[in-house]
Amino acid sequence: MTQLDRDGPHAPAGVGAAGEVVLSCRGLRRDFGGFTAVKDVDLDVRHGEVHALIGPNGAGKTTVFNLLTKFLQPTRGEIRLAGEDITRTRPARVARMGLVRSFQISATFPHLTVLDNVKVALQRPQGLATQFWRPLSALDVLNRRALELLDEVGLSDARDALAADLSYGRKRVLEIATTLALEPKVLLLDEPMAGMGQEDIGTVSELIRTVGRSRAVLMVEHNLKVVANLCHRVTVLQRGEILAAGDYATVAADPRVRTAYMGSEA
């Protein structure tokens, strides 16, 4: 049994109570010329919950993620993180405030060891991020927390392996470990199960479930079985607008959702 199983993951400072809205948007809209990619989206992501953003291809899910993390500026609308208006805040500051995104394509350093990947991620919270002239050995002070994180996510046995040599599923687990190193209040996961076999899906699902107990998680995911088993709330997008929202049973029973996914209510 890992420390994560016993106590839950290391909780970031300043998080709210379970069920408290940590990330929200109101009237979120993004126009590209004459095309509206996201229209009047309202969203509440709560502490201690895993929230899925789903929809057919082209529904606007990635655009919403880009707006929330400030890679795109909204045409109009408001975004709040822990009650603070971040609508016009730069992406780097938003990340420092605790809104951290994991991308669909694994973003680890392939030629560093698993342990060194986590130590690099730990530099910013430890105030070492700008000291790039220091040798890698200077990060040895981060060993204790890095080893704790690897234990939490089940990668202790691979600490000295190169990231490039990990299986695809374990690379995604390492990426989650590096995002947890930033102590996020809200963790955004972009298709975390993409390209995985069933065994890896089970492992990563349980990791996300546990991680979500001490922070808010918003994920884009196409695997509806994962969404059904993992997520407390589901928001369905179609053509940039919210089609349905609620728990999985509620949205799955909505005939509009079945039509959006299958082309006909039948």
Side-chain angles (χ1 to χ4, degrees), residues 254-266:
D254 191 319
R256 298 172 302 166
V257 175
R258 297 199 299 271
T259 300
Y261 271 95
M262 297 182 290
S264 69
E265 187 174 336

Side-chain angles (χ1 to χ4, degrees), residues 2-224:
T2 66
Q3 186 68 30
L4 188 65
D5 297 319
R6 289 190 295 268
D7 303 325
H10 178 76
V15 297
E20 181 179 336
V21 175
V22 184
L23 175 66
S24 67
C25 63
R26 291 292 180 269
L28 197 63
R29 181 185 180 108
R30 174 66 191 201
D31 297 325
F32 293 96
F35 172 67
T36 300
V38 171
K39 182 179 179 182
D40 300 328
V41 167
D42 295 342
L43 191 66
D44 289 322
V45 184
R46 300 172 186 273
H47 177 73
E49 294 186 357
V50 180
H51 191 135
L53 189 62
I54 69 172
N57 290 333
K61 304 181 295 297
T62 298
T63 303
V64 169
F65 256 39
N66 287 336
L67 291 168
L68 293 175
T69 52
K70 311 317 314 301
F71 287 91
L72 287 174
Q73 287 293 339
T75 302
R76 69 167 183 250
E78 180 184 77
I79 305 168
R80 288 187 171 269
L81 176 63
E84 184 172 342
D85 189 340
I86 62 166
T87 309
R88 301 299 170 190
T89 305
R90 293 181 179 274
R93 172 161 166 72
V94 167
R96 290 194 296 271
M97 292 171 67
L99 180 58
V100 179
R101 177 177 180 176
S102 175
F103 290 87
Q104 181 178 351
I105 298 173
S106 184
T108 57
F109 295 100
H111 301 300
L112 293 182
T113 67
V114 168
L115 179 62
D116 284 339
N117 265 273
V118 177
K119 286 162 64 177
V120 168
L122 282 167
Q123 289 181 72
R124 180 169 292 282
Q126 298 296 327
L128 300 174
T130 58
Q131 300 181 29
F132 47 83
W133 63 86
R134 300 177 62 170
L136 194 59
S137 60
L139 302 182
D140 286 346
V141 295
L142 305 177
N143 273 346
R144 180 176 177 181
R145 178 62 188 141
L147 290 171
E148 287 175 352
L149 278 165
L150 292 180
D151 183 48
E152 288 174 3
V153 302
L155 284 178
S156 294
D157 62 323
R159 54 173 287 180
D160 296 320
L162 293 179
D165 294 334
L166 296 179
S167 68
Y168 180 75
R170 299 198 97 191
K171 285 178 183 175
R172 299 312 301 265
V173 170
L174 175 58
E175 184 179 0
I176 292 174
T178 61
T179 58
L180 292 178
L182 302 176
E183 300 186 359
K185 295 181 177 71
V186 185
L187 181 59
L188 273 63
L189 301 174
D190 192 357
E191 297 191 36
M193 311 300 171
M196 286 188 187
Q198 194 58 46
E199 182 178 348
D200 285 335
I201 286 175
T203 298
V204 175
S205 291
E206 286 308 309
L207 175 58
I208 294 171
R209 188 192 309 279
T210 308
V211 164
R213 292 177 188 146
S214 59
R215 55 188 40 81
V217 177
L218 178 65
M219 57 187 282
V220 168
E221 182 54 55
H222 285 291
N223 187 324
L224 296 186

